[in-house]
Coordinates of all heavy atoms in Angstrom, one line a residue:
G1 N 1.3 25.4 13.0 CA 0.2 26.3 12.7 C -0.1 26.4 11.2 O -1.2 26.4 10.8
D2 N 1.0 26.4 10.4 CA 0.8 26.4 8.9 C 0.1 25.1 8.5 O -0.9 25.2 7.6 CB 2.1 26.6 8.2 CG 2.7 27.9 8.4 OD1 2.0 28.9 8.7 OD2 3.9 28.0 8.2
A3 N 0.4 24.0 9.0 CA -0.2 22.8 8.6 C -1.7 22.7 9.0 O -2.5 22.2 8.2 CB 0.5 21.6 9.2
F4 N -1.9 23.2 10.2 CA -3.4 23.3 10.6 C -4.2 24.2 9.8 O -5.3 23.9 9.4 CB -3.4 23.7 12.1 CG -4.8 23.7 12.6 CD1 -5.4 22.5 13.1 CD2 -5.6 24.8 12.7 CE1 -6.7 22.4 13.5 CE2 -6.9 24.8 13.2 CZ -7.5 23.6 13.6
K5 N -3.6 25.4 9.4 CA -4.3 26.3 8.5 C -4.6 25.6 7.2 O -5.7 25.8 6.7 CB -3.6 27.6 8.3 CG -4.3 28.5 7.5 CD -3.7 29.9 7.4 CE -4.4 30.9 6.5 NZ -5.6 30.6 5.8
T6 N -3.6 25.0 6.6 CA -3.8 24.3 5.3 C -4.9 23.3 5.4 O -5.8 23.2 4.5 CB -2.5 23.6 4.9 OG1 -1.5 24.6 4.7 CG2 -2.7 22.9 3.6
A7 N -4.9 22.5 6.5 CA -5.9 21.4 6.6 C -7.3 22.0 6.8 O -8.3 21.6 6.2 CB -5.5 20.5 7.8
S8 N -7.3 23.0 7.7 CA -8.6 23.7 8.0 C -9.2 24.3 6.7 O -10.4 24.2 6.4 CB -8.4 24.8 9.0 OG -9.6 25.4 9.3
D9 N -8.3 25.0 5.9 CA -8.8 25.6 4.6 C -9.3 24.5 3.7 O -10.3 24.7 3.1 CB -7.6 26.4 4.0 CG -7.4 27.7 4.8 OD1 -8.1 28.1 5.6 OD2 -6.3 28.3 4.4
E10 N -8.6 23.4 3.6 CA -9.0 22.4 2.7 C -10.4 21.8 3.1 O -11.3 21.5 2.3 CB -8.0 21.2 2.6 CG -6.9 21.5 1.7 CD -7.3 21.8 0.3 OE1 -8.1 21.1 -0.3 OE2 -6.7 22.7 -0.3
L11 N -10.5 21.6 4.5 CA -11.8 21.1 5.0 C -13.0 22.0 4.9 O -14.2 21.6 5.0 CB -11.6 20.7 6.4 CG -10.7 19.4 6.6 CD1 -10.3 19.2 8.1 CD2 -11.4 18.1 6.1
K12 N -12.7 23.3 4.6 CA -13.8 24.2 4.4 C -14.3 24.1 2.9 O -15.4 24.7 2.6 CB -13.4 25.6 4.6 CG -13.2 25.9 6.1 CD -12.6 27.3 6.3 CE -12.3 27.4 7.9 NZ -11.5 28.6 8.1
R13 N -13.5 23.5 2.0 CA -13.9 23.4 0.6 C -15.0 22.3 0.5 O -15.0 21.3 1.3 CB -12.7 23.0 -0.2 CG -11.6 24.1 -0.2 CD -10.3 23.6 -0.7 NE -10.5 23.0 -2.1 CZ -10.1 23.7 -3.2 NH1 -9.6 24.8 -3.2 NH2 -10.3 23.0 -4.4
S14 N -15.8 22.4 -0.6 CA -16.8 21.3 -0.8 C -16.2 20.0 -1.2 O -16.7 19.0 -0.9 CB -17.8 21.8 -1.8 OG -17.2 22.1 -3.0
A15 N -15.0 20.1 -1.9 CA -14.3 18.9 -2.2 C -12.8 19.0 -1.8 O -12.0 19.4 -2.7 CB -14.4 18.6 -3.7
P16 N -12.5 18.8 -0.6 CA -11.1 18.9 -0.2 C -10.1 18.1 -0.9 O -10.5 16.9 -1.3 CB -11.2 18.5 1.3 CG -12.6 18.5 1.7 CD -13.3 18.2 0.4
D17 N -8.9 18.6 -1.1 CA -7.8 17.8 -1.7 C -7.3 16.9 -0.5 O -6.6 17.4 0.4 CB -6.7 18.8 -2.2 CG -5.6 18.1 -2.9 OD1 -5.3 16.9 -2.5 OD2 -5.0 18.7 -3.8
V18 N -7.6 15.6 -0.6 CA -7.3 14.6 0.4 C -5.7 14.5 0.5 O -5.2 14.4 1.6 CB -8.0 13.3 0.2 CG1 -7.5 12.2 1.2 CG2 -9.5 13.5 0.3
A19 N -5.1 14.6 -0.6 CA -3.6 14.5 -0.6 C -3.0 15.7 0.3 O -2.1 15.5 1.1 CB -3.0 14.5 -1.9
K20 N -3.5 16.9 0.1 CA -3.0 18.0 0.9 C -3.4 17.9 2.3 O -2.5 18.2 3.2 CB -3.6 19.3 0.4 CG -3.0 19.9 -0.8 CD -3.7 21.2 -1.1 CE -3.2 21.8 -2.4 NZ -3.8 23.1 -2.8
L21 N -4.5 17.3 2.6 CA -5.0 17.1 3.9 C -4.1 16.1 4.7 O -3.7 16.2 5.8 CB -6.5 16.6 3.9 CG -7.2 16.5 5.2 CD1 -7.3 17.8 5.9 CD2 -8.6 16.0 4.9
R22 N -3.8 15.0 3.9 CA -2.9 14.0 4.5 C -1.5 14.5 4.8 O -0.9 14.2 5.8 CB -2.8 12.8 3.6 CG -4.1 12.0 3.6 CD -4.0 10.8 2.5 NE -5.2 10.1 2.6 CZ -5.7 9.4 1.5 NH1 -5.1 9.4 0.4 NH2 -6.8 8.7 1.7
V23 N -1.0 15.4 4.0 CA 0.4 15.9 4.2 C 0.3 16.8 5.5 O 1.2 16.7 6.4 CB 0.9 16.7 3.0 CG1 2.1 17.6 3.3 CG2 1.2 15.8 1.8
S24 N -0.7 17.6 5.6 CA -0.8 18.5 6.7 C -1.0 17.7 8.0 O -0.4 18.0 9.0 CB -2.0 19.5 6.6 OG -1.7 20.3 5.5
S25 N -1.9 16.7 8.0 CA -2.2 15.9 9.2 C -1.0 15.1 9.6 O -0.7 15.0 10.8 CB -3.3 15.0 9.0 OG -3.0 13.9 8.1
A26 N -0.2 14.7 8.7 CA 1.1 13.9 9.0 C 2.1 14.9 9.6 O 2.8 14.5 10.6 CB 1.6 13.3 7.7
T27 N 2.2 16.1 9.2 CA 3.1 17.1 9.7 C 2.7 17.4 11.2 O 3.5 17.4 12.1 CB 3.1 18.4 8.9 OG1 3.5 18.1 7.6 CG2 3.9 19.4 9.6
I28 N 1.4 17.5 11.4 CA 0.9 17.9 12.7 C 1.1 16.6 13.7 O 1.7 16.8 14.8 CB -0.6 18.2 12.7 CG1 -0.9 19.5 11.9 CG2 -1.2 18.3 14.1 CD1 -2.3 19.8 11.5
A29 N 0.9 15.5 13.2 CA 1.1 14.3 14.0 C 2.5 14.0 14.3 O 2.8 13.5 15.4 CB 0.4 13.1 13.3
A30 N 3.4 14.4 13.4 CA 4.8 14.2 13.6 C 5.4 15.2 14.7 O 6.2 14.9 15.4 CB 5.6 14.3 12.3
L31 N 4.9 16.4 14.6 CA 5.3 17.5 15.5 C 4.7 17.4 16.9 O 5.4 17.9 17.9 CB 5.2 18.9 14.9 CG 6.0 19.1 13.6 CD1 5.6 20.4 13.0 CD2 7.5 19.1 13.9
A32 N 3.5 17.0 17.0 CA 2.8 17.1 18.3 C 3.6 16.5 19.5 O 3.6 17.0 20.5 CB 1.4 16.4 18.1
P33 N 4.1 15.3 19.3 CA 4.9 14.6 20.4 C 6.1 15.4 20.9 O 6.6 15.2 21.9 CB 5.2 13.3 20.0 CG 4.4 13.0 18.7 CD 4.1 14.3 18.2
K34 N 6.5 16.3 20.0 CA 7.8 17.1 20.3 C 7.5 18.4 21.1 O 8.5 19.0 21.6 CB 8.5 17.4 19.0 CG 8.9 16.2 18.2 CD 9.5 16.6 16.9 CE 9.9 15.3 16.2 NZ 10.5 15.6 14.9
V35 N 6.3 18.8 21.2 CA 5.9 20.1 21.8 C 6.6 20.3 23.2 O 7.2 21.3 23.5 CB 4.4 20.3 21.8 CG1 4.0 21.5 22.7 CG2 3.8 20.5 20.4
E36 N 6.4 19.3 24.0 CA 6.9 19.4 25.4 C 8.5 19.6 25.3 O 9.0 20.4 26.1 CB 6.6 18.1 26.2 CG 6.9 18.3 27.7 CD 6.5 17.1 28.5 OE1 5.8 16.2 28.0 OE2 6.9 17.1 29.6
S37 N 9.2 19.0 24.5 CA 10.6 19.1 24.4 C 11.1 20.5 23.9 O 12.2 20.8 24.1 CB 11.2 18.0 23.5 OG 10.9 18.2 22.2
W38 N 10.2 21.3 23.3 CA 10.5 22.6 22.8 C 10.7 23.6 24.0 O 11.2 24.7 23.8 CB 9.5 23.1 21.9 CG 9.4 22.3 20.6 CD1 10.3 21.5 20.1 CD2 8.3 22.3 19.7 NE1 9.9 20.9 18.9 CE2 8.6 21.4 18.7 CE3 7.1 23.0 19.7 CZ2 7.8 21.2 17.6 CZ3 6.2 22.7 18.6 CH2 6.6 21.8 17.6
F39 N 10.4 23.2 25.2 CA 10.4 24.0 26.4 C 11.2 23.4 27.5 O 10.6 23.2 28.6 CB 9.0 24.4 26.8 CG 8.2 25.0 25.7 CD1 7.3 24.3 24.9 CD2 8.2 26.4 25.5 CE1 6.6 24.9 23.9 CE2 7.4 27.0 24.5 CZ 6.7 26.3 23.7
P40 N 12.4 23.1 27.3 CA 13.2 22.4 28.4 C 13.5 23.4 29.5 O 13.4 24.6 29.4 CB 14.5 22.1 27.7 CG 14.7 23.1 26.6 CD 13.3 23.4 26.1
P41 N 13.7 22.8 30.7 CA 14.1 23.7 31.9 C 15.2 24.6 31.5 O 16.1 24.3 30.7 CB 14.6 22.6 32.9 CG 13.8 21.4 32.5 CD 13.8 21.4 31.0
G42 N 15.1 25.8 32.0 CA 16.1 26.8 31.7 C 15.9 27.6 30.4 O 16.8 28.4 30.0
S43 N 14.8 27.4 29.8 CA 14.6 28.1 28.5 C 13.4 29.1 28.5 O 12.9 29.5 27.5 CB 14.3 27.1 27.4 OG 13.0 26.4 27.6
G44 N 13.0 29.5 29.7 CA 11.9 30.4 29.8 C 12.2 31.9 30.2 O 13.4 32.2 30.4
P45 N 11.2 32.7 30.2 CA 11.4 34.0 30.5 C 12.0 34.3 31.9 O 12.7 35.2 32.1 CB 9.9 34.7 30.5 CG 9.0 33.6 30.3 CD 9.8 32.3 30.0
Q46 N 11.7 33.4 32.9 CA 12.3 33.5 34.2 C 13.8 33.3 34.1 O 14.5 33.6 35.0 CB 11.6 32.5 35.2 CG 11.9 31.1 34.9 CD 11.0 30.4 33.9 OE1 10.2 31.1 33.2 NE2 10.9 29.1 33.9
D47 N 14.3 32.7 33.0 CA 15.8 32.4 32.8 C 16.4 33.5 31.9 O 17.5 33.3 31.5 CB 15.9 31.1 32.2 CG 15.3 30.0 33.1 OD1 15.7 29.9 34.3 OD2 14.4 29.3 32.6
G48 N 15.6 34.5 31.5 CA 16.1 35.6 30.7 C 16.0 35.3 29.2 O 16.5 36.0 28.4
V49 N 15.2 34.3 28.8 CA 15.0 33.9 27.4 C 13.8 34.5 26.9 O 12.7 34.4 27.6 CB 15.0 32.4 27.2 CG1 14.8 32.0 25.8 CG2 16.3 31.7 27.8
Q50 N 13.8 35.2 25.8 CA 12.6 35.8 25.2 C 11.7 34.7 24.7 O 12.2 33.8 23.9 CB 13.1 36.7 24.0 CG 11.9 37.4 23.3 CD 11.1 38.3 24.2 OE1 11.7 39.0 25.1 NE2 9.8 38.4 23.9
S51 N 10.5 34.7 25.1 CA 9.6 33.7 24.7 C 8.1 34.2 24.8 O 7.8 35.0 25.6 CB 9.7 32.5 25.6 OG 8.7 31.5 25.3
D52 N 7.2 33.7 24.0 CA 5.8 34.0 24.0 C 5.1 33.1 25.1 O 4.0 33.2 25.5 CB 5.1 33.8 22.7 CG 5.5 35.0 21.7 OD1 5.9 36.0 22.2 OD2 5.4 34.8 20.5
A53 N 5.9 32.1 25.5 CA 5.4 31.1 26.5 C 5.3 31.8 27.9 O 6.2 32.6 28.2 CB 6.2 29.9 26.6
L54 N 4.3 31.4 28.7 CA 4.2 31.9 30.0 C 5.0 31.1 31.0 O 5.4 29.9 30.6 CB 2.7 31.9 30.5 CG 1.8 32.8 29.7 CD1 0.3 32.6 30.2 CD2 2.1 34.2 29.9
E55 N 5.4 31.6 32.1 CA 6.2 30.8 33.1 C 5.6 29.5 33.5 O 6.3 28.6 33.9 CB 6.5 31.7 34.3 CG 7.5 32.8 34.0 CD 7.9 33.6 35.3 OE1 8.0 32.9 36.4 OE2 8.1 34.8 35.2
T56 N 4.3 29.5 33.4 CA 3.5 28.3 33.8 C 3.9 27.0 33.0 O 3.8 25.9 33.5 CB 2.0 28.4 33.7 OG1 1.7 28.9 32.4 CG2 1.5 29.4 34.8
V57 N 4.5 27.3 31.8 CA 5.0 26.1 31.1 C 6.1 25.4 31.9 O 6.1 24.1 31.9 CB 5.6 26.6 29.7 CG1 6.5 25.4 29.1 CG2 4.5 27.1 28.8
W58 N 6.9 26.1 32.6 CA 8.0 25.6 33.4 C 7.6 25.3 34.8 O 8.1 24.4 35.5 CB 9.2 26.4 33.3 CG 9.7 26.5 32.0 CD1 10.6 25.7 31.4 CD2 9.4 27.5 30.9 NE1 10.8 26.0 30.0 CE2 10.1 27.1 29.8 CE3 8.5 28.5 30.9 CZ2 10.0 27.9 28.6 CZ3 8.3 29.2 29.7 CH2 9.1 28.9 28.5
T59 N 6.7 26.1 35.4 CA 6.4 26.0 36.8 C 5.2 25.0 37.1 O 5.0 24.6 38.2 CB 6.0 27.3 37.4 OG1 4.8 27.9 36.7 CG2 7.2 28.3 37.3
D60 N 4.4 24.7 36.0 CA 3.3 23.7 36.1 C 3.5 22.7 35.1 O 2.7 22.5 34.2 CB 2.0 24.4 36.0 CG 0.8 23.6 36.4 OD1 1.0 22.3 36.7 OD2 -0.3 24.0 36.3
R61 N 4.7 22.0 35.2 CA 5.1 21.0 34.1 C 4.0 19.9 34.0 O 3.8 19.4 32.9 CB 6.4 20.4 34.4 CG 7.6 21.3 34.2 CD 7.7 21.9 32.9 NE 8.2 21.0 31.9 CZ 8.5 21.3 30.6 NH1 8.4 22.6 30.2 NH2 9.1 20.4 29.8
G62 N 3.4 19.5 35.1 CA 2.4 18.4 35.0 C 1.3 18.8 34.2 O 0.9 17.9 33.3
E63 N 0.7 19.9 34.3 CA -0.4 20.3 33.5 C 0.0 20.6 32.1 O -0.7 20.3 31.1 CB -1.1 21.6 34.1 CG -2.4 22.0 33.3 CD -3.3 20.8 33.2 OE1 -3.5 20.0 34.1 OE2 -4.0 20.8 32.1
F64 N 1.2 21.2 31.9 CA 1.7 21.4 30.5 C 1.9 20.0 29.8 O 1.5 19.8 28.7 CB 3.0 22.2 30.6 CG 3.6 22.4 29.2 CD1 2.9 23.1 28.3 CD2 4.8 21.8 28.8 CE1 3.4 23.4 27.0 CE2 5.3 22.1 27.5 CZ 4.6 22.8 26.6
R65 N 2.4 19.0 30.5 CA 2.6 17.7 30.0 C 1.2 17.1 29.6 O 1.1 16.5 28.5 CB 3.3 16.8 31.0 CG 3.5 15.4 30.5 CD 4.4 14.6 31.5 NE 5.7 15.1 31.4 CZ 6.3 15.6 32.5 NH1 5.7 15.7 33.7 NH2 7.5 16.2 32.4
R66 N 0.2 17.2 30.5 CA -1.1 16.7 30.1 C -1.7 17.4 28.9 O -2.3 16.8 28.1 CB -2.0 16.8 31.4 CG -1.6 15.8 32.5 CD -2.6 15.8 33.6 NE -2.5 17.0 34.5 CZ -1.6 17.1 35.4 NH1 -0.7 16.2 35.7 NH2 -1.5 18.2 36.1
A67 N -1.5 18.7 28.8 CA -2.0 19.5 27.7 C -1.3 19.0 26.4 O -2.0 18.9 25.4 CB -1.8 21.0 27.9
A68 N 0.0 18.8 26.5 CA 0.8 18.3 25.3 C 0.3 17.0 24.9 O 0.2 16.6 23.7 CB 2.2 18.3 25.6
Q69 N 0.0 16.1 25.9 CA -0.5 14.7 25.6 C -1.9 14.8 25.0 O -2.2 14.0 24.1 CB -0.6 13.9 26.9 CG 0.8 13.5 27.4 CD 0.9 13.0 28.8 OE1 -0.1 13.1 29.6 NE2 2.0 12.4 29.2
R70 N -2.8 15.7 25.5 CA -4.1 15.8 24.8 C -4.0 16.2 23.4 O -4.7 15.8 22.5 CB -5.0 16.8 25.7 CG -5.4 16.2 27.0 CD -6.5 17.1 27.7 NE -5.9 18.4 28.1 CZ -5.4 18.6 29.3 NH1 -5.3 17.6 30.2 NH2 -4.9 19.8 29.6
F71 N -3.1 17.2 23.1 CA -2.8 17.7 21.8 C -2.3 16.5 20.9 O -2.8 16.3 19.8 CB -1.8 18.8 21.8 CG -1.4 19.3 20.4 CD1 -2.3 19.8 19.5 CD2 -0.1 19.2 20.1 CE1 -1.9 20.1 18.2 CE2 0.4 19.6 18.8 CZ -0.5 20.1 17.9
T72 N -1.4 15.8 21.4 CA -0.8 14.6 20.7 C -1.9 13.6 20.3 O -2.0 13.1 19.2 CB 0.4 14.0 21.5 OG1 1.4 15.0 21.6 CG2 0.9 12.8 20.7
A73 N -2.7 13.3 21.3 CA -3.9 12.4 21.0 C -4.8 12.9 20.0 O -5.2 12.1 19.0 CB -4.6 12.1 22.4
A74 N -5.1 14.2 20.1 CA -6.0 14.8 19.1 C -5.3 14.8 17.7 O -6.0 14.5 16.7 CB -6.4 16.2 19.4
A75 N -4.0 15.1 17.6 CA -3.3 15.1 16.4 C -3.2 13.7 15.7 O -3.3 13.5 14.5 CB -1.9 15.6 16.6
T76 N -3.0 12.7 16.6 CA -2.9 11.3 16.1 C -4.2 10.9 15.5 O -4.3 10.2 14.4 CB -2.5 10.3 17.3 OG1 -1.2 10.8 17.8 CG2 -2.5 8.9 16.8
N77 N -5.4 11.2 16.2 CA -6.6 10.8 15.7 C -7.0 11.5 14.4 O -7.4 10.9 13.4 CB -7.7 11.2 16.7 CG -9.1 10.8 16.3 OD1 -9.4 9.7 15.9 ND2 -10.0 11.8 16.3
F78 N -6.6 12.8 14.3 CA -6.9 13.6 13.1 C -6.1 13.0 12.0 O -6.6 12.9 10.8 CB -6.4 15.1 13.4 CG -6.6 16.1 12.3 CD1 -7.8 16.5 12.0 CD2 -5.5 16.5 11.6 CE1 -8.0 17.5 11.0 CE2 -5.6 17.4 10.5 CZ -6.9 17.9 10.2
D79 N -4.8 12.6 12.2 CA -4.0 12.0 11.1 C -4.6 10.7 10.7 O -4.6 10.4 9.5 CB -2.6 11.9 11.7 CG -1.6 11.4 10.6 OD1 -1.7 11.9 9.4 OD2 -0.8 10.5 10.9
A80 N -5.1 9.9 11.6 CA -5.6 8.6 11.2 C -6.8 8.7 10.3 O -7.0 8.0 9.3 CB -5.9 7.8 12.5
L81 N -7.7 9.7 10.7 CA -8.9 9.9 9.9 C -8.5 10.5 8.5 O -9.2 10.1 7.5 CB -9.9 10.9 10.7 CG -10.4 10.3 11.9 CD1 -11.1 11.4 12.8 CD2 -11.3 9.1 11.7
A82 N -7.6 11.4 8.5 CA -7.2 12.0 7.2 C -6.6 10.9 6.3 O -6.8 10.8 5.1 CB -6.2 13.1 7.4
K83 N -5.7 10.0 6.9 CA -5.1 8.9 6.1 C -6.2 8.0 5.6 O -6.0 7.4 4.5 CB -4.1 8.1 7.0 CG -2.8 8.9 7.2 CD -1.9 8.0 8.1 CE -0.5 8.7 8.2 NZ 0.3 8.1 9.2
A84 N -7.2 7.7 6.3 CA -8.3 6.9 5.9 C -9.2 7.5 4.8 O -10.0 6.8 4.2 CB -9.2 6.5 7.1
G85 N -9.0 8.8 4.6 CA -9.7 9.6 3.6 C -11.2 9.8 4.0 O -12.0 10.2 3.2
D86 N -11.5 9.8 5.3 CA -12.8 10.1 5.8 C -12.9 11.6 6.1 O -12.6 12.0 7.2 CB -13.0 9.3 7.2 CG -14.4 9.4 7.7 OD1 -15.1 10.3 7.3 OD2 -14.8 8.5 8.4
V87 N -13.3 12.3 5.1 CA -13.4 13.7 5.2 C -14.3 14.2 6.2 O -14.0 15.2 7.0 CB -13.7 14.3 3.7 CG1 -13.9 15.8 3.8 CG2 -12.6 14.0 2.8
A88 N -15.5 13.6 6.3 CA -16.5 14.1 7.3 C -15.9 13.9 8.7 O -16.0 14.8 9.5 CB -17.8 13.3 7.1
A89 N -15.4 12.8 9.0 CA -14.8 12.6 10.3 C -13.6 13.4 10.6 O -13.4 13.9 11.7 CB -14.5 11.1 10.5
T90 N -12.8 13.6 9.6 CA -11.7 14.5 9.7 C -12.1 16.0 10.0 O -11.5 16.7 10.8 CB -10.7 14.5 8.5 OG1 -10.4 13.1 8.2 CG2 -9.5 15.3 8.6
R91 N -13.1 16.4 9.4 CA -13.7 17.7 9.6 C -14.1 17.8 11.0 O -13.9 18.8 11.7 CB -14.9 17.9 8.6 CG -15.3 19.3 8.4 CD -16.3 19.5 7.3 NE -15.7 19.6 6.0 CZ -16.0 19.0 4.9 NH1 -17.0 18.0 4.9 NH2 -15.4 19.2 3.8
D92 N -14.8 16.8 11.5 CA -15.2 16.8 12.9 C -14.1 16.8 13.9 O -14.0 17.5 14.9 CB -16.1 15.6 13.2 CG -17.5 15.7 12.6 OD1 -17.9 16.9 12.2 OD2 -18.2 14.7 12.5
A93 N -13.0 16.1 13.5 CA -11.8 16.0 14.4 C -11.1 17.3 14.4 O -10.3 17.5 15.4 CB -10.9 14.8 13.9
T94 N -11.3 18.2 13.5 CA -10.6 19.5 13.4 C -11.0 20.2 14.7 O -10.2 21.0 15.2 CB -10.9 20.3 12.2 OG1 -10.7 19.5 11.0 CG2 -10.2 21.6 12.1
K95 N -12.2 20.1 15.1 CA -12.7 20.8 16.3 C -11.9 20.4 17.6 O -11.5 21.2 18.4 CB -14.2 20.6 16.5 CG -15.0 21.2 15.3 CD -16.5 20.8 15.5 CE -17.2 21.3 14.2 NZ -18.0 20.3 13.6
A96 N -11.8 19.1 17.7 CA -11.0 18.6 18.9 C -9.5 19.0 18.8 O -8.9 19.4 19.8 CB -11.1 17.1 18.9
L97 N -9.0 19.0 17.6 CA -7.6 19.3 17.4 C -7.4 20.8 17.7 O -6.5 21.3 18.5 CB -7.1 19.0 16.0 CG -5.6 19.3 15.7 CD1 -4.6 18.6 16.7 CD2 -5.3 19.0 14.2
G98 N -8.3 21.7 17.1 CA -8.2 23.1 17.4 C -8.4 23.4 18.8 O -7.8 24.3 19.4
G99 N -9.3 22.7 19.4 CA -9.6 22.9 20.9 C -8.4 22.6 21.7 O -8.1 23.3 22.7
A100 N -7.6 21.5 21.4 CA -6.4 21.2 22.1 C -5.3 22.2 21.9 O -4.7 22.6 22.9 CB -5.9 19.8 21.6
C101 N -5.2 22.8 20.8 CA -4.3 23.9 20.5 C -4.7 25.1 21.4 O -3.9 25.7 22.0 CB -4.2 24.3 19.0 SG -3.6 23.1 17.9
K102 N -6.0 25.5 21.2 CA -6.4 26.7 21.9 C -6.3 26.5 23.5 O -5.9 27.5 24.1 CB -7.9 26.9 21.6 CG -8.4 28.2 22.2 CD -9.8 28.4 21.8 CE -10.5 29.7 22.3 NZ -10.1 30.2 23.6
A103 N -6.6 25.4 24.0 CA -6.5 25.2 25.4 C -5.1 25.4 26.0 O -4.9 26.0 27.0 CB -7.1 23.8 25.8
C104 N -4.1 24.8 25.2 CA -2.8 25.0 25.6 C -2.3 26.5 25.4 O -1.7 27.1 26.3 CB -1.9 24.1 24.7 SG -0.2 23.9 25.4
H105 N -2.7 27.1 24.3 CA -2.3 28.5 24.1 C -3.0 29.4 25.1 O -2.3 30.4 25.6 CB -2.6 28.9 22.7 CG -1.7 28.5 21.7 ND1 -1.5 29.1 20.5 CD2 -0.9 27.4 21.6 CE1 -0.7 28.4 19.7 NE2 -0.3 27.4 20.4
D106 N -4.2 29.1 25.5 CA -4.9 29.9 26.4 C -4.2 29.9 27.8 O -4.1 30.9 28.5 CB -6.3 29.5 26.7 CG -7.2 30.0 25.5 OD1 -6.8 30.7 24.6 OD2 -8.4 29.4 25.5
R107 N -3.7 28.7 28.2 CA -3.1 28.5 29.5 C -1.6 28.9 29.6 O -1.1 29.3 30.6 CB -3.3 27.1 30.0 CG -2.7 26.7 31.3 CD -3.6 26.7 32.4 NE -3.0 26.5 33.7 CZ -3.1 25.4 34.4 NH1 -3.8 24.5 34.1 NH2 -2.4 25.4 35.5
F108 N -0.9 28.6 28.5 CA 0.5 28.6 28.5 C 1.2 29.6 27.6 O 2.5 29.6 27.4 CB 1.1 27.2 28.2 CG 0.6 26.2 29.2 CD1 -0.3 25.3 28.9 CD2 1.2 26.2 30.5 CE1 -0.7 24.4 29.9 CE2 0.8 25.3 31.5 CZ -0.1 24.3 31.1
R109 N 0.5 30.5 26.9 CA 1.1 31.4 25.9 C 0.6 32.8 26.2 O -0.6 33.0 26.5 CB 0.7 31.0 24.5 CG 1.4 31.8 23.4 CD 1.0 31.3 22.1 NE 1.7 32.1 21.1 CZ 1.5 32.0 19.8 NH1 0.7 31.1 19.3 NH2 2.2 32.7 19.0
E110 N 1.5 33.8 26.0 CA 1.2 35.2 26.1 C 0.0 35.5 25.1 O 0.0 35.0 24.0 CB 2.4 36.1 25.8 CG 3.5 35.9 26.7 CD 3.5 37.1 27.8 OE1 2.8 38.1 27.6 OE2 4.2 36.9 28.8
K111 N -0.8 36.4 25.5 CA -1.9 36.9 24.6 C -1.3 37.8 23.5 O -0.3 38.6 23.9 CB -3.0 37.6 25.3 CG -3.6 36.9 26.4 CD -4.5 35.8 26.0 CE -5.1 35.0 27.2 NZ -5.0 33.6 27.2
D112 N -1.7 37.7 22.3 CA -1.2 38.5 21.2 C -1.7 39.9 21.3 O -2.6 40.3 21.8 CB -1.6 38.0 19.8 CG -0.9 36.7 19.5 OD1 0.2 36.5 20.0 OD2 -1.4 35.9 18.8

């Protein structure tokens, strides 16, 4: 979340700091493939573990896996564009990345 906020804030600037953008995109791309592993069987509210995740993370593993894969793909694309220094394309890719985050949170996370 912090890396996405940093990247998003930079991309709102008229002249984003590409170095900051690259650090943030690399962090997101490195963490994205790990998301699914953060919710192993036996770690949910149905098991007595305090979590903001909904039980569907564990009971609908197939859809959770697909959501995690969509997020990883969006993160990988976002990182590639940031590394290339293509600010306009990276700015556009922020929408897909944010959408992948939101879709997963909407389906698999308690509302704040």
